[in-house]
Amino acid sequence: MSNAHAGTTFPEQAADLAARVDQDRWGSVRPSLYETARVISAAPWLPGEARRVGYLLDEQASDGSWGEGPEPYRLLPTLSGVEAALAVLRRATVSGDVRSRLTGAAARGLTALRALPPDGPWPDTAAAELLVPGLISKVNEHLALASEEVPGLGGAVADPLATPGGYHEGAPAYVAARFKAAGALPMKLHHTFEGIAGHIPRTLTPDIDGLLGSSPAATAAWAASRTPAAVKQAVAHLEPVAHRYDGLFPEAAPIRVFERLWVAAALARAGLPTATLPTMRRWVDEIYDPEGVRGAPGLMKDADDTAMAVLVASLVGRPYGPGPLDAFHNGSHFDCYIGEDTGSVTANAHALQALAGCSRRLPPEDGIDDPRADKLCDWLIGQQRAEGHWPDKWHASPYYSTERCVSALAQHGGHHASAAVARAVAWTADTQRDDGSWGVWGGTAEETAYAVKILLSTAPPTPGRGQVRALDRAEAYLDAVRDAGTRHPALWHDKTLYAPSAMIEAEILAAREMLRIRHL
C-alpha cells in the first residue's frame, strides 16, 4: 500500500489512505514466510500448495536462510522453511525440478542454521521459547529418515540440529503438561498453538469459529490431527485469507482493528482532515468495547488495543471513557494481557496518552485518575535506558518505542517527565545518519518519521540550529524516498518480523506534514 500521490495535499492523502484501509477487511501486510511454511507443513489438504511451495523456494536468501532482519531474526523462519521443505519431500508429492530445488533448499537452509551464532542473543518475539525447540524437534525427526526417504540429503548435512543457547528442547512438552494438568488451554497460547499442538490432547483443543488465535499456522495445526469435518472447517477459514494474500498467509488475520487504530492515531499527530472524521468515528464506534478491545478475532483483549481505542475516541470526538483499561492495571502500570511475561512500554505510553486525552475531553467525574497517571509516568521513566531511548517487545526499533514514550511524557508534563524527554531528544539527535535518516539497522523512512516526531514533540519556539539542521536533513531524506516505491523493511514483532504498510505509511505521511507546517 505505497503512497503514489506525492503531488497531492496532506488532507487528500490522508483521506485516500483512510478510504483504502476502510475498504480492506484483512489489512495491508506482507505474507509471512514462517506462517506460510507452517501451513505447507501442516495442511497438505489445503488447495494452492504449489503456489506456496514456489514462494518458499523463491524467498530463500543466497546464504540459505529465510526471513528478514539480522541473523538472529532468521532463526525461526529458516527453521520453518527447512521443516516445510523436508515435510513436502517426505510426502513425495513433488517430483522433477521442484523436488530437486526443495532438496537443495533444505540442504542450504540446514547449513545456514548451523552458521548462526550458537547463543544468540535471540529477539523477544512471540512464543519463540516454544516455537524454536518445537521446530528443531520436527526437523530432527525428518533428518533421522532423510537418508532413506530424501536422496541427496544424506551425510553431514543430515546430522541432527542442536538446540541453540537460551532455548530448552523440552519446553513445548513441559508447557503442554502444565495445561493438561490444569485441564484447560489458556487463550494466550491460541495464536502460537502450532508450537505445542503435538503435545496437547484433542480434548483440550478449543472449538473454532474463524482462525484459531487469528493465526493460519495455528489453525492448520489445530486441524492436522482432527476429523475430516474439522479439516473442512479449517479450509473454510483459511481459503479467504489465502485469496486476499495471493495464496499465502500473514501471521495474523484480519488486522483491521489494529490497523485502523494505529492509522487514525498517526494521522492525528498532523491534524486529522475533516473529511476523514466520519470514517474514523465509525471505526471507533465499531471497535470500542467497555470490556476491553482485542486486536484481532481470536486474540485476548489487551491493554494496547484498548488504550488506542480510548485515545482515538478522544482524538475524533467520541464520548468514550478510559474504563476498559481498569482491568489491565496492576498498581503501577498496565499489563498488556492476563498472564503477560514481560511488560510493554509502548502499550503503557498509549495508556498514558489515552488518560491524558480523556482528561481534556471528558467531565472530571468521567476522566483521568491523576494518581494512576502519575504512577504510570514514573514507571515509564524508570524503563528508560541510560543512553536516552526505550526498547520494547513489539518493535525491533527503539525509535518507535521512544517516540511513543516521548509523546506520552510530553503530554503529561512535570519536571521528571521533561528531563526524560530531553534525554530522549538528545539521543535521537546524536543518532541521525549521514543521509538525514534514522534506523536501527540502516536508515528507513518509517524510523525517520518517528525521530522527526520525537524532535518536534519538544521543539522550543525558536529551535536551535542543530535541531533545525537535523529536521531539514530529515525532510530532504523523506522527500528523496517519497516516490521510490521502496518496500518498507519489516521491523514489527509477532512470531517473526513483519511490516504493516498502511500504518507505516500513516506515520510517514504525518511526519512529512509536520515538517511542512513547521515552516509556516
Side-chain angles (χ1 to χ4, degrees):
M1 187 181 280
S2 63
N3 182 10
H5 304 284
T8 58
T9 65
F10 171 72
E12 291 170 325
Q13 291 177 318
D16 176 72
L17 176 58
R20 284 182 280 139
V21 169
D22 193 51
Q23 293 162 10
D24 187 354
R25 61 173 291 214
W26 294 104
S28 57
V29 64
R30 293 195 293 273
S32 161
L33 185 288
Y34 165 84
E35 200 82 2
T36 300
R38 293 301 80 231
V39 173
I40 291 172
S41 177
W45 32 261
L46 185 67
E49 181 170 285
R51 164 72 178 112
R52 290 185 282 278
V53 170
Y55 166 77
L56 177 70
L57 291 169
D58 291 343
E59 288 295 307
Q60 189 173 32
S62 59
D63 66 356
S65 68
W66 278 278
E68 299 190 56
E71 278 190 335
Y73 281 93
R74 291 174 172 258
L75 171 63
L76 186 61
T78 303
L79 281 168
S80 188
V82 166
E83 196 282 329
L86 292 172
V88 173
L89 287 166
R90 290 189 60 206
R91 289 201 292 260
T93 56
V94 294
S95 59
D97 179 62
V98 174
R99 185 171 186 84
S100 175
R101 291 179 65 196
L102 277 172
T103 303
R108 290 191 301 275
L110 289 164
T111 299
L113 287 169
R114 294 188 173 100
L116 290 173
D119 297 309
W122 311 111
D124 183 17
T125 50
E129 71 279 5
L130 302 176
L131 301 178
V132 167
L135 278 172
I136 288 174
S137 177
K138 284 178 175 289
V139 168
N140 286 340
E141 289 176 14
H142 291 312
L143 292 177
L145 299 170
S147 59
E148 300 175 10
E149 298 184 8
V150 186
L153 199 66
V157 75
D159 289 344
L161 295 174
T163 301
Y167 295 111
H168 302 283
E169 61 182 341
Y174 171 75
V175 169
R178 286 172 53 199
F179 296 121
K180 280 192 286 186
L185 184 70
M187 194 173 185
K188 80 168 190 173
L189 287 179
H190 289 187
H191 183 59
T192 54
F193 178 73
E194 69 272 18
I196 57 170
H199 303 279
I200 294 290
R202 188 182 300 177
T203 54
L204 283 191
T205 59
D207 294 328
I208 63 171
D209 183 21
L211 296 181
L212 178 62
S214 81
S215 164
T219 304
W222 171 87
S225 61
R226 295 175 71 93
T227 64
V231 170
K232 184 177 179 180
Q233 187 180 6
V235 169
H237 296 314
L238 289 166
E239 282 198 315
V241 187
H243 178 74
R244 165 62 177 84
Y245 297 100
D246 191 25
L248 311 175
F249 295 95
E251 288 174 19
I255 62 166
R256 63 177 179 267
V257 168
F258 173 44
E259 180 175 79
R260 291 175 180 187
L261 292 174
W262 265 249
V263 165
L267 294 177
R269 286 295 302 275
L272 282 173
T274 303
T276 66
L277 287 175
T279 297
M280 293 183 180
R281 285 170 178 160
R282 174 168 50 80
W283 290 353
V284 169
D285 290 341
E286 293 170 352
I287 292 170
Y288 183 91
D289 185 335
E291 301 300 319
V293 175
R294 61 184 91 241
L299 296 181
M300 299 178 69
K301 295 178 179 180
D302 68 272
D304 205 7
D305 289 283
T306 300
M308 288 294 275
V310 174
L311 171 60
V312 173
S314 73
L315 294 172
V316 301
R318 300 303 292 151
Y320 300 125
L325 283 168
D326 294 348
F328 304 101
H329 197 254
N330 64 18
S332 64
H333 62 283
F334 293 89
D335 293 328
C336 274
Y337 51 84
I338 305 299
E340 181 182 39
D341 296 321
T342 55
S344 164
V345 298
T346 58
N348 280 277
H350 293 150
L352 186 57
Q353 287 181 280
L355 295 176
C358 288
S359 72
R360 289 192 301 268
R361 291 184 174 269
L362 296 177
E365 63 270 19
D366 296 327
I368 195 167
D369 177 359
D370 286 330
R372 186 170 61 175
D374 289 341
K375 287 183 179 180
L376 183 51
C377 178
D378 291 341
W379 184 84
L380 282 173
I381 293 170
Q383 307 306 306
Q384 189 177 27
R385 295 291 174 89
E387 298 87 348
H389 67 278
W390 284 265
D392 192 57
K393 66 180 181 179
W394 298 124
H395 204 286
S397 174
Y399 294 102
Y400 171 75
S401 42
T402 300
E403 186 273 321
R404 279 359 194 206
C405 291
V406 164
S407 295
L409 294 173
Q411 287 182 49
H412 184 76
H415 172 71
H416 294 300
S418 297
V421 167
R423 290 192 294 273
V425 169
W427 170 78
T428 302
D430 287 344
T431 54
Q432 188 175 30
R433 293 176 176 270
D434 291 342
D435 63 356
S437 69
W438 282 267
V440 62
W441 300 320
T444 69
E446 178 188 351
E447 292 168 281
T448 300
Y450 299 137
V452 164
K453 293 177 182 181
I454 293 168
L455 297 181
L456 289 176
S457 290
T458 58
T462 306
R465 290 182 180 178
Q467 186 171 336
V468 170
R469 283 197 299 271
L471 291 169
D472 286 344
R473 293 168 61 214
E475 188 169 19
Y477 170 80
L478 291 175
D479 283 344
V481 301
R482 177 175 56 181
D483 300 321
T486 303
R487 167 172 143 149
H488 297 294
L491 295 168
W492 297 64
H493 282 182
D494 189 356
K495 302 173 194 179
T496 61
L497 292 170
Y498 71 104
S501 58
M503 292 148 60
I504 296 169
E505 185 178 335
E507 295 287 354
I508 297 167
L509 183 58
R512 293 190 68 253
E513 176 66 3
M514 292 167 71
L515 285 166
R516 185 190 70 82
I517 62 179
R518 74 190 170 104
H519 299 298
L520 300 180

